Amino acid sequence: MQKEKDVIDWRTQKIKHQEAVKKLKEYFPMIREREEILQEIQEERRLVSLFYSWSEERREEFLNFCSGEKGINLLYDGIFKEIMSPEYVPERLNDFLSLVLGRKVRVHAVLPNDGTRIADESSLLVTDIIVELGDGSLANVEVQKIGYKFPGERSACYSADMLLRQYKRIRSVKREAFSYKDIKSVYTIILFEKSTGEFHQFPEHYIHYFEQQSDTGIQVKLLQKYVFISLDLFRKIYQNKNINSKREAWMMFFGTQEPEEIVRLLETYPEFRSMYEEAYRLCQNTEAAMGFFSEELRELDR
C-alpha cells in the first residue's frame, strides 16, 4: 500500500511540476525548448567543445534552467549582477536593503572593490557589491554559494576593510576638518545559498542581525554591523507556506529556483516578473549563458 501511495504522490508532483513549467512559459514566452538550445550549441564547434567538457549532470542542469524545466538560479554571478546592478537599477537594491535593514535606505554611490580587499582566496564568493548609502554609511552585499567554515571571522575582516577604506576616503577629503564622528556605520550583508552548521542549530530562523554591545549596558557608538541570511533555511521554513511580506518575497526570489515556487511568488508579487524576464532574456544568448555557467563551475571546482 505504501508503495502505491508513493507512486501516486510521485505522479501528482510530476503533474503539478508540468503545470508550473507550462505556466512559467506563459509568463515568459521567450523561454526556449531544450531541443532549440541543443541545436544552437551543435551548430557552433566552440560551444560543443565547452558543453561536452561538463559532466552529464551539469549539462542537464544548464539545459533545465535555460528551458524553464527547473526554474532559474538567480544567484549565478552573471545573472545576479545584471538584475541587481546598483548602477542601472538602484531601486531594486534600495528596496531589498531597506527591507533587510528595517529602515529606508537609498543607494547613493557604488564603490569599487579594490584597495585591501581579500581577493586571492579560493572562495565560492559569487557577488560582492559595496554601496554607499544616503547617510554615508556603507553596505557590502555578498552572495555565497556555500558558506565558509569561518563566516564570522571572515565577515569581521571584510567589515574592518570597509571601515578603513571609509576612514581613508573621508580623511583625504576633509583633511584638517576631519573628525571621527564623520565615520558612518558599515553593514556586511551576506546571503548564503548553503549556510554552515552553526546556522542550522537555529532552524526556525533564517536571518540573523549582529552588532557590538557592552555587557554593562553602556551605550557607545560602534560602527560594524552584520546581517547573515540563510536562504537554505528560508526554503525549509517556508516550504508550502504563504509569503506574507515583501521581505519574504525577496527571500523567495533569491532562494528558490523551482517553477512551482516562482509561479507562486509571481501570483502574489507580480512586481518580480520584470526581473525574472531579464534573467530569461540573458538565457536567450546561449554563448553568454554558457559563459557564466562555465565560470560558475570553475568556482565550484576550486
Side-chain angles (χ1 to χ4, degrees):
M1 291 294 293
Q2 182 61 44
K3 187 175 181 179
E4 291 179 3
K5 183 178 182 302
D6 290 343
V7 170
I8 293 172
D9 290 343
W10 177 79
R11 288 176 177 172
T12 301
Q13 290 299 321
K14 185 175 181 180
I15 291 171
K16 288 182 178 180
H17 177 75
Q18 291 172 340
E19 290 174 349
V21 172
K22 181 180 178 182
K23 184 71 174 178
L24 197 64
K25 291 182 177 180
E26 291 174 0
Y27 273 117
F28 309 108
M30 76 284 294
I31 296 177
R32 297 179 296 168
E33 298 296 330
R34 60 190 291 135
E35 291 77 16
E36 181 182 350
I37 300 167
L38 274 172
Q39 182 178 350
E40 184 174 344
I41 292 172
Q42 296 293 342
E43 291 174 354
E44 177 62 55
R45 182 180 298 178
R46 185 160 42 86
L47 299 185
V48 170
S49 177
L50 177 59
F51 185 70
Y52 286 100
S53 70
W54 302 336
S55 67
E56 183 177 354
E57 178 184 0
R58 297 304 184 186
R59 294 198 297 269
E60 280 297 305
E61 182 181 347
F62 175 78
L63 292 172
N64 282 336
F65 85 73
C66 279
S67 65
E69 289 296 325
K70 290 291 184 182
I72 190 164
N73 190 334
L74 298 168
L75 298 185
Y76 286 151
D77 190 45
I79 296 178
F80 186 94
K81 285 180 177 176
E82 187 72 22
I83 64 177
M84 293 299 291
S85 169
E87 294 183 86
Y88 305 120
V89 281
E91 65 277 4
R92 294 174 180 172
L93 202 56
N94 290 341
D95 188 50
F96 173 68
L97 291 177
S98 295
L99 291 165
V100 168
L101 298 177
R103 64 184 179 88
K104 190 72 174 179
V105 301
R106 179 178 64 86
V107 174
H108 177 68
V110 182
L111 305 180
N113 283 335
D114 54 12
T116 58
R117 299 297 292 169
I118 304 170
D120 59 348
E121 55 191 10
S122 293
S123 73
L124 289 173
L125 175 66
V126 176
T127 293
D128 188 1
I129 299 174
I130 300 176
V131 296
E132 180 183 5
L133 306 181
D135 64 355
S137 60
L138 300 181
N140 172 215
V141 183
E142 292 186 13
V143 175
Q144 294 180 9
K145 300 294 287 183
I146 298 176
Y148 288 81
K149 289 183 178 179
F150 309 105
E153 293 88 336
R154 180 179 171 278
S155 297
C157 290
Y158 268 21
S159 178
D161 173 54
M162 280 199 295
L163 199 59
L164 179 60
R165 292 179 66 195
Q166 182 187 185
Y167 163 78
K168 289 181 176 179
R169 179 168 50 85
I170 293 176
R171 183 150 193 167
S172 68
V173 171
K174 294 206 167 187
R175 299 182 181 275
E176 290 79 9
F178 169 80
S179 166
Y180 280 98
K181 290 187 179 295
D182 297 326
I183 305 296
K184 304 296 183 180
S185 295
V186 296
Y187 296 85
T188 301
I189 303 165
I190 301 181
L191 291 86
F192 292 111
E193 186 176 33
K194 295 180 181 179
S195 51
T196 50
E198 56 263 59
F199 294 97
H200 290 262
Q201 295 175 22
F202 298 85
E204 296 180 356
H205 302 277
Y206 68 88
I207 186 165
H208 304 269
Y209 296 89
F210 294 82
E211 61 181 286
Q212 296 156 309
Q213 60 183 10
S214 166
D215 62 343
T216 63
I218 186 174
Q219 297 296 313
V220 176
K221 187 177 181 181
L222 299 176
L223 301 175
Q224 293 165 283
K225 302 177 182 181
Y226 308 85
V227 184
F228 292 143
I229 301 172
S230 301
L231 295 173
D232 50 347
L233 291 177
F234 173 83
R235 289 193 297 270
K236 290 182 180 180
I237 294 170
Y238 283 88
Q239 188 174 13
N240 300 321
K241 290 184 180 179
N242 292 329
I243 300 300
N244 298 312
S245 71
K246 187 68 176 297
R247 190 180 80 169
E248 292 172 3
W250 273 109
M251 300 306 161
M252 178 72 80
F253 178 70
F254 289 129
T256 186
Q257 53 182 302
E258 295 302 321
E260 296 90 333
E261 299 298 329
I262 294 175
V263 169
R264 188 158 67 94
L265 174 60
L266 291 174
E267 289 174 347
T268 310
Y269 289 91
E271 56 265 47
F272 285 90
R273 182 171 179 171
S274 61
M275 288 181 274
Y276 278 114
E277 185 170 335
E278 287 180 29
Y280 279 118
R281 288 199 184 282
L282 288 174
C283 291
Q284 285 187 297
N285 185 330
T286 302
E287 183 173 358
M290 291 181 71
F292 65 67
F293 186 77
S294 186
E295 181 61 31
E296 193 82 8
L297 295 184
R298 279 195 289 271
E299 285 297 314
L300 288 170
D301 286 342
R302 289 175 60 190

